[in-house]
Amino acid sequence: MVKFIFRIMMCISLLAMTTACSKDEEAPVVYQEVNYATMNGTWMLTEFNGAPLQEGQYVYITFNRKEHTFEMYENMGSMYSHKSTGSFEIEEDEDLGYILTGEYDYSHDPLKEYIVSEMTDETMKWTVKDNAEDVSVYTRCAEITEDILNGSRSLK
């Protein structure tokens, strides 16, 4: 009789444990501090102004945290891939958060100033500082494919 009661109690306990864990509850998103270490690596533009990129379009950017440099491969507005390089800085603004600034190597044109927010291990959101409707979402990726690297022309 004791074994029977023990088994019933175990079944009730197991049932209570399995029903207590709801699949509807998601773990809260943990945002990271935006800094040179968290930006380091290769990122791919996956969303522009609330929509995915058109098929065949891409922007890849690789940040080098030690040298504060970047390499960007993109084909937005062109059927050809273009490579751009430059330097970047991350500044913290008390009101806006983290601001990404920089300039291109060959033209010395400045990058737009971007507010970098909602950064996780896998994604980050860029909002143009002077235009809150201009929003890009970047997703971390392992590497840029050889066909893009080999088919790119440097912008000079």
Side-chain angles (χ1 to χ4, degrees):
M1 181 73 167
V2 173
K3 286 183 180 180
F4 179 72
I5 293 173
F6 180 73
R7 286 183 182 162
I8 289 177
M9 293 302 288
M10 287 298 292
C11 289
I12 291 171
S13 296
L14 286 172
L15 182 63
M17 285 191 291
T18 58
T19 58
C21 297
S22 172
K23 293 181 182 178
D24 295 338
E25 295 178 25
E26 292 184 20
V29 176
V30 177
Y31 294 119
Q32 298 179 347
E33 177 182 339
V34 178
N35 58 44
Y36 296 102
T38 56
M39 295 268 304
N40 190 60
T42 302
W43 299 83
M44 174 179 62
L45 180 64
T46 52
E47 185 179 307
F48 183 67
N49 292 335
L53 298 183
Q54 293 180 9
E55 187 175 335
Q57 288 185 324
Y58 58 84
V59 175
Y60 291 93
I61 188 163
T62 302
F63 292 102
N64 180 316
R65 71 180 179 154
K66 292 181 181 179
E67 297 180 18
H68 296 195
T69 59
F70 68 86
E71 287 185 352
M72 182 169 39
Y73 297 85
E74 57 90 14
N75 71 345
M76 302 293 280
S78 173
M79 59 187 268
Y80 299 105
S81 180
H82 298 281
K83 176 184 177 184
S84 302
T85 59
S87 59
F88 74 99
E89 297 293 328
I90 300 169
E91 303 166 4
E92 187 171 5
D93 181 279
E94 190 174 294
D95 297 323
L96 300 174
Y98 298 98
I99 310 293
L100 174 68
T101 62
E103 75 175 25
Y104 293 98
D105 284 337
Y106 298 106
S107 65
H108 299 288
D109 288 336
L111 286 173
K112 292 179 183 177
E113 292 184 297
Y114 295 96
I115 301 167
V116 181
S117 62
E118 299 179 20
M119 183 170 209
T120 68
D121 287 337
E122 298 299 319
T123 62
M124 63 179 159
K125 180 172 139 182
W126 293 14
T127 305
V128 174
K129 183 179 173 185
D130 298 329
N131 183 358
E133 294 180 11
D134 191 341
V135 179
S136 303
V137 175
Y138 284 84
T139 303
R140 190 177 295 278
C141 60
E143 60 186 31
I144 303 170
T145 60
E146 285 296 319
D147 60 325
I148 291 173
L149 293 174
N150 294 333
S152 295
R153 299 181 297 168
S154 292
L155 295 177
K156 294 185 181 185

